[in-house]
């Protein structure tokens, strides 16, 4: 074989290898973009696979409400939680400091005393919103039974019944954003 032929062979091999690598990288990218689009297509919840399992009873879905003051749509959430097993969920509310959820401020008993005691003053679009979400998550993480976390605002409404959402979230290891 001439030197020229050997070089040509090497060249072909090199092209083949880099093409293969490109295709693999592309497939990998496809995989990533697929999970990204799945990510952006569903409810806003954060699920966790690696949480401690030292709790008794059912795993819970933690509903974390970040609200300005009261919950105007509390009656809808009241109906929603009415059909749930009380051991299957927990509720945490971050409202403005000092705001109390009781019979004078909410129509749903599910929200009584669910306001965080360490809530902070939140300005829309400021980092204080993230701080408030962290406080909510921190409170929810204190209960190891909380295995799924749903971040909500005061304008969110439940579109499905409790058991549907519970089973859906418990069956999925994914996080969902913005539905
Ligand atoms: C894409 O993901 C699937 C499963 O999620 C996996 O089996 C496959 O190997 C991945 N493909 C690449 C190129 O990483
Ligand atoms: C909840 O909703 C699902 C689907 O929308 C339905 O199949 C199921 O019967 C409902 N369960 C209850 C308890 O209403
Ligand atoms: C409560 O949790 C149990 C165990 O995970 C489940 O079988 C049951 O359907 C849940 N109840 C509701 C109303 O979602």
């Amino acid at each position: 074989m001439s030197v020229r032929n050997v070089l040509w062979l090497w060249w072909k091999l090199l092209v083949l290898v880099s093409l293969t690598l490109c295709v693999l990288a592309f497939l990998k990218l496809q995989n990533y973009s697929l999970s990204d689009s799945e990510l952006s297509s569903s409810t806003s919840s954060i699920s966790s696979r690696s949480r401690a399992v030292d709790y008794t009873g059912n795993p819970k879905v933690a509903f974390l409400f970040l609200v300005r003051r009261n919950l105007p749509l509390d009656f809808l959430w009241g109906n929603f939680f009415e059909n749930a097993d009380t051991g299957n969920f927990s509720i945490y509310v971050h409202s403005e400091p000092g705001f109390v959820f009781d019979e004078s401020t909410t129509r749903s008993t599910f929200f009584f005393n669910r306001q965080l005691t360490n809530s902070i003053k939140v300005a829309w679009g400021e980092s204080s919103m993230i701080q408030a979400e962290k406080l909510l998550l921190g409170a929810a993480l204190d209960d190891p039974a909380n295995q799924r976390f749903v971040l909500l605002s005061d304008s969110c409404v439940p579109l499905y019944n409790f058991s549907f959402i519970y089973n859906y979230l418990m069956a999925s290891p994914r996080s969902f954003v913005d539905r």
Side-chain angles (χ1 to χ4, degrees):
M1 228 191 293
S2 72
V3 174
R4 207 193 143 104
N5 273 352
V6 170
L7 273 179
W8 179 234
L9 220 84
W10 266 111
W11 175 242
K12 279 213 298 203
L13 203 71
L14 199 74
V15 169
L16 203 76
V17 166
S18 41
L19 263 179
T20 313
L21 281 178
C22 276
V23 169
L24 279 181
F26 179 72
L27 284 179
K28 198 83 199 155
L29 220 71
Q30 289 279 19
N31 264 12
Y32 279 123
S33 50
L34 193 75
S35 34
D36 274 350
S37 60
E38 277 171 358
L39 237 174
S40 57
S41 72
S42 297
T43 23
S44 59
S45 92
I46 297 170
S47 64
S48 152
R49 270 169 286 188
S50 54
R51 299 257 294 127
V53 284
D54 52 346
Y55 61 91
T56 52
N58 298 335
K60 294 184 198 172
V61 175
F63 292 85
L64 313 180
F65 291 88
L66 177 57
V67 302
R68 283 162 289 194
R69 231 180 120 69
N70 64 336
L71 262 155
L73 302 170
D74 51 2
F75 62 101
L76 285 176
W77 287 105
N79 285 342
F80 174 80
F81 290 125
E82 202 90 320
N83 296 310
D85 297 335
T86 47
N88 282 17
F89 68 93
S90 51
I91 297 173
Y92 301 85
V93 185
H94 184 292
S95 184
E96 65 174 19
F99 190 85
V100 177
F101 283 83
D102 59 18
E103 46 277 281
S104 69
T105 54
T106 177
R107 286 161 285 187
S108 172
T109 53
F110 290 108
F111 295 105
F112 283 12
N113 301 315
R114 299 315 304 159
Q115 149 87 319
L116 300 188
T117 51
N118 58 346
S119 74
I120 56 165
K121 192 105 190 103
V122 169
W124 206 96
E126 300 287 327
S127 62
S128 52
M129 287 188 85
I130 299 163
Q131 192 57 38
E133 293 288 11
K134 277 173 72 181
L135 289 172
L136 281 167
L137 273 173
L141 285 167
D142 278 344
D143 181 354
N146 288 326
Q147 294 290 313
R148 297 292 184 271
F149 306 85
V150 183
L151 309 182
L152 300 158
S153 78
D154 47 14
S155 57
C156 291
V157 293
L159 295 181
Y160 297 92
N161 60 33
F162 182 86
S163 56
F164 183 86
I165 289 184
Y166 182 86
N167 293 325
Y168 188 87
L169 292 179
M170 285 305 169
S172 174
R174 293 181 199 286
S175 295
F176 302 102
V177 179
D178 198 22
R179 176 183 280 177

